[in-house]
Amino acid sequence: MITFQFITALSEADPQSHLIARAGCALLPDSALIAEMRDEKNVADTRFGCAPFSRITLLPDALWQDSLTEGLVTALRPLLASPVSAEVVLDVTDIDDVVLAQVLRFLFNQAHRLSDLQLKKTSDTVRLERITALCLPEQQDRLTALFRQQQAIAQGMVAARRLADTPSDRCTPQFVVEEAQKLCAALPALRCEALDEKQIVEQGLGLLHAVGKGATCPPRLLAIHYDGVSDGPVRCYVGKGITFDTGGLWLKEGAGMYTMKYDMCGAANVLGLMLTVAELGLPVRIMGVLALAENAIGPDAMQPGTVATACNGTTVEINNTDAEGRLVLADALAWASQRHPQARYIIDMATLTGAVVKALGYELSGLMTQDEPLRAALTLAGKQSGDEVWSLPLDARLKKQTESAIADLCNTPTNNAAISASAAWLLHHFCPPTIPWAHLDISGTALWRESGRSVASGRPIPLLVEHLMEDC
């Protein structure tokens, strides 16, 4: 775990650390080097003549106030790709709170790298181990709480990212269950409840069964329970956990399959959220539900035209086997609402549709809900955390998109229109109107994309933790 500490003068910093500061920081030494670096209009970075530091980086003051484009994180990312020191000294004397949260999450997330999976020979000799914050004396008490909070959020993100980055031949539904059980066992406030393929059928989860029955690795449903208080309403989170998505008999093309090990990021992020909540000890009751299956091809795979029945009795015509995520989510939503019919709310998250990326890009998660207070609270939490959402419509005008001649619903619109909102309209049938419900489509935000490669991002854990803390 990456640790942190505070100092109020650079003379307190350990030698050979990496100093990262605003160009206008008043606590920088009065030297010719600093004066020359301050004259730079963009990033000024040196590893020469900067003793006692091993590296000094000065960044434009504007970046320390730019919460919209994450300019500071963008500037730091290549600098931390190959660290020269195990310690970063970060100037936090004048920085926007949202920017600070974004930067801290980025730094604490350096605890995970793909090399940690031990699948590639690597020479990572230097890893970030400590963040030293250069602050004013009067800032320290307030900053301590913020640093601890972002450290806990990053721990959950790292757990989720590490699981999602694991190749799907290893990361099967059962593997996810076992890894979650190991991680939760270290936190006494968490307890796990797992359903195997037989119990899934016995409890009527016909949609989850339909998706998972074609794979040699059978489906699982995992519920993680947290009781930070003895009574009160339960907050529920549901995550799509398709450990690999071939598209089923509606087979994807090869290029479309390349990142499909990440189709379980929603479930991984529910696990990460639960770990963070337990670490912070929030005074709430929560149930996280991971709907886990592999969407495979084979003699037992679901077929286009199949009608399957969810655990709430709703029948669904599966006219596209590559729209499987909404099927497992639907069953998990219905199951969660039956377990907690008085839930405070249910929020689901899923890498559900490529259409949301076309609509919102890679920076915003799509939010769909009919509950206005929940919409407002999540939108505000997104702005406060720097992990933002954007609302898409969800009302009865979408009804025709899920009509079926043979079943209660069909899983995809035949006109290929409003794909993201249509999926949410299907899902809303599986959460009773008495329970506030919101759907987060994280297809754009669940991955960090750079240089043509993708890795898990851990979003929207920061958003959901911020929302929880405001809702406690």
Side-chain angles (χ1 to χ4, degrees), residues 94-315:
D94 185 12
I95 184 171
D96 177 84
D97 281 352
V98 175
V99 175
L100 179 56
Q102 292 170 336
V103 170
L104 289 178
R105 289 196 298 267
F106 165 71
L107 292 175
F108 283 125
N109 264 276
Q110 298 304 303
H112 168 61
R113 294 196 169 198
L114 287 179
S115 58
D116 295 340
L117 300 176
Q118 299 182 340
L119 301 175
K120 179 181 180 180
K121 295 178 182 178
T122 181
S123 58
D124 283 349
T125 55
V126 179
R127 296 285 294 267
L128 182 62
E129 297 175 4
R130 184 164 68 179
I131 303 166
T132 296
L134 175 65
C135 67
L136 303 175
E138 60 270 23
Q139 294 176 308
Q140 187 166 334
D141 288 344
R142 183 181 69 85
L143 290 174
T144 299
L146 178 60
F147 270 64
R148 181 177 182 274
Q149 172 193 321
Q150 298 306 318
Q151 183 186 48
I153 290 172
Q155 287 176 18
M157 294 172 74
V158 164
R161 291 174 57 221
R162 186 169 288 138
L163 189 61
D165 285 334
T166 301
S168 57
D169 63 322
R170 303 182 182 200
C171 189
T172 64
Q174 180 61 26
F175 178 89
V176 174
V177 169
E178 292 172 358
E179 288 299 300
Q181 289 171 334
K182 291 177 188 176
L183 292 169
C184 291
L187 296 162
L190 298 176
R191 57 186 174 87
C192 294
E193 171 190 5
L195 303 186
D196 62 20
E197 66 271 33
K198 181 179 178 181
Q199 293 166 313
I200 285 170
V201 172
E202 290 173 347
Q203 296 194 25
L205 293 150
L207 303 184
L208 177 58
H209 170 69
V211 173
K213 67 187 179 71
T216 56
C217 306
R220 294 288 185 265
L221 187 82
L222 176 67
I224 305 173
H225 304 274
Y226 170 79
D227 293 317
V229 288
S230 58
D231 58 13
V234 176
R235 294 155 172 84
C236 297
Y237 298 88
V238 173
K240 170 188 171 183
I242 301 299
T243 56
F244 192 80
D245 182 17
T246 65
L249 295 182
W250 202 292
L251 190 65
K252 294 177 183 289
E253 61 177 16
M257 253 192 263
Y258 181 64
T259 59
M260 284 301 104
K261 72 174 185 179
Y262 290 113
D263 215 14
M264 44 71 73
C265 280
N269 290 334
V270 169
L271 169 61
L273 173 65
M274 301 300 291
L275 296 171
T276 291
V277 168
E279 181 68 28
L280 290 173
L282 296 184
V284 291
R285 297 176 66 206
I286 298 178
M287 180 176 71
V289 181
L290 287 65
L292 303 162
E294 179 183 336
N295 188 22
I297 56 174
D300 295 325
M302 59 180 172
Q303 301 168 343
T306 295
V307 174
T309 305
C311 66
N312 68 348
T314 302
T315 58

Side-chain angles (χ1 to χ4, degrees), residues 18 47 55 77-85 110 113 124 126:
H18 178 185
R47 294 176 59 184
R55 186 174 194 171
R77 194 174 291 277
L79 298 174
L80 272 295
S82 298
V84 299
S85 173
Q110 298 304 303
R113 294 196 169 198
D124 283 349
V126 179

Side-chain angles (χ1 to χ4, degrees), residues 65-77:
Q65 306 298 323
D66 176 17
S67 63
L68 185 64
T69 68
E70 294 193 52
L72 188 54
V73 171
T74 300
L76 293 178
R77 194 174 291 277

Side-chain angles (χ1 to χ4, degrees), residues 188-445:
L190 298 176
R191 57 186 174 87
C192 294
E193 171 190 5
L195 303 186
D196 62 20
E197 66 271 33
K198 181 179 178 181
Q199 293 166 313
I200 285 170
V201 172
E202 290 173 347
Q203 296 194 25
L205 293 150
L207 303 184
L208 177 58
H209 170 69
V211 173
K213 67 187 179 71
T216 56
C217 306
R220 294 288 185 265
L221 187 82
L222 176 67
I224 305 173
H225 304 274
Y226 170 79
D227 293 317
V229 288
S230 58
D231 58 13
V234 176
R235 294 155 172 84
C236 297
Y237 298 88
V238 173
K240 170 188 171 183
I242 301 299
T243 56
F244 192 80
D245 182 17
T246 65
L249 295 182
W250 202 292
L251 190 65
K252 294 177 183 289
E253 61 177 16
M257 253 192 263
Y258 181 64
T259 59
M260 284 301 104
K261 72 174 185 179
Y262 290 113
D263 215 14
M264 44 71 73
C265 280
N269 290 334
V270 169
L271 169 61
L273 173 65
M274 301 300 291
L275 296 171
T276 291
V277 168
E279 181 68 28
L280 290 173
L282 296 184
V284 291
R285 297 176 66 206
I286 298 178
M287 180 176 71
V289 181
L290 287 65
L292 303 162
E294 179 183 336
N295 188 22
I297 56 174
D300 295 325
M302 59 180 172
Q303 301 168 343
T306 295
V307 174
T309 305
C311 66
N312 68 348
T314 302
T315 58
V316 180
E317 178 188 3
I318 303 170
N319 55 0
N320 184 339
T321 65
D322 195 22
E324 82 299 326
R326 66 202 68 183
L327 298 175
V328 303
L329 278 178
D331 245 346
L333 284 170
W335 188 86
S337 65
Q338 290 171 355
R339 289 293 297 270
H340 294 290
Q342 305 300 319
R344 180 167 176 79
Y345 55 72
I346 300 178
I347 297 173
D348 77 69
M349 64 205 78
T351 51
L352 205 62
T353 66
V356 82
V357 181
K358 293 180 180 179
L360 301 178
Y362 297 115
E363 309 304 326
L364 296 162
S365 297
L367 167 63
M368 284 147 274
T369 182
Q370 293 182 310
D371 188 274
E372 293 308 318
L374 188 53
R375 184 197 310 277
L378 286 169
T379 301
L380 178 61
K383 293 181 182 297
Q384 292 174 332
S385 65
D387 185 6
E388 292 195 51
V389 298
W390 199 268
S391 288
L392 293 173
L394 184 66
D395 57 44
R397 285 173 289 188
L398 296 163
K399 183 178 180 180
K400 290 184 178 180
Q401 300 296 95
T402 58
E403 287 182 344
S404 168
I406 194 172
D408 297 322
L409 301 163
C410 70
N411 72 330
T412 54
T414 55
N415 58 11
N416 204 34
I419 297 297
S420 300
S422 296
W425 182 255
L426 173 81
L427 292 174
H428 103 279
H429 292 85
F430 297 87
C431 183
T434 54
I435 301 177
W437 162 77
H439 165 60
L440 295 173
D441 194 329
I442 59 172
S443 290
T445 55

